[in-house]
Amino acid sequence: MTRRPLYVLIAAAGLALAATGARAAPAKAAVFDVQFANRSPVAPDAAEMGRLKRIGTVFRDLLQKKGLFTVVSAEPDQEEVARRADLRRRNSCAVTVAKRLGADTAITGEVQKVSNLILDLDVYVKPVADDAPKQACSVDLRGNTDESFDRAVPHMVENNMSDGP
């Protein structure tokens, strides 16, 4: 038996693997609930808080489905995260929790409300290795409605994060 067929098989297997678009596994990310940064004189109401919870779930699902990240559950540290008033401003807190959860990346987000007409969704993607912001994304929302919130997250992921970290 000659070695030539073995080399041919190895080359063919390599080409087949390359043709399938084999990629490295996505980074593990702790994706924290979106928080509210109220810049308006009116406190957030139950509808706004419900929207935040909903878009956080949608955000995690889209990141996972698009293969941008493997989402790591933050449930084990939920109590500590809840005690932190502002994960974005306290970057090391999100990074510390993400490290403890076994994630490579910490992802935080906030909706800034200036008024019922002007809102902004900001997302921060931070590697846990060096705690430096790796990517910051922002989407403007016009109107404080379910529809504007529901459009913001898919737009953010598709247009601002689709190339990955």
Side-chain angles (χ1 to χ4, degrees):
M1 185 170 210
T2 65
R3 291 184 179 221
R4 189 172 184 152
L6 181 60
Y7 292 125
V8 171
L9 288 174
I10 291 172
L15 288 173
L17 187 59
T20 62
R23 296 174 32 184
K28 293 179 189 172
V31 184
F32 299 98
D33 285 339
V34 177
Q35 296 183 318
F36 201 70
N38 190 14
R39 309 280 187 251
S40 80
V42 179
D45 62 23
E48 291 168 333
M49 297 310 289
R51 288 181 192 122
L52 289 185
K53 186 74 168 164
R54 189 177 71 247
I55 67 171
T57 300
V58 170
F59 187 52
R60 282 186 281 277
D61 290 346
L62 285 173
L63 291 174
Q64 184 87 24
K65 284 179 186 172
K66 287 195 62 78
L68 298 175
F69 294 95
T70 298
V71 176
V72 175
S73 174
E75 283 298 316
D77 282 336
Q78 194 63 33
E79 285 182 31
E80 180 178 345
V81 171
R83 284 194 309 262
R84 307 295 181 175
D86 191 345
L87 284 173
R88 185 187 72 79
R89 296 204 192 312
R90 301 175 58 102
N91 289 341
S92 61
C93 173
V95 169
T96 300
V97 173
K99 280 182 187 177
R100 198 167 39 244
L101 294 169
D104 307 307
T105 306
I107 300 178
T108 57
E110 72 176 1
V111 170
Q112 294 184 35
K113 178 183 173 186
V114 177
S115 70
N116 271 331
L117 179 61
I118 303 169
L119 298 99
D120 188 61
L121 171 60
D122 299 316
V123 170
Y124 303 91
V125 181
K126 300 171 200 67
V128 299
D130 60 11
D131 194 30
K134 185 172 187 178
Q135 184 179 20
C137 306
S138 183
V139 171
D140 291 336
L141 289 80
R142 290 297 177 249
N144 190 2
T145 66
D146 288 344
E147 182 180 7
S148 66
F149 274 68
D150 291 344
R151 288 182 176 187
V153 172
H155 182 82
M156 169 79 71
V157 172
E158 195 62 40
N159 296 297
N160 296 359
M161 301 180 80
S162 61
D163 293 333

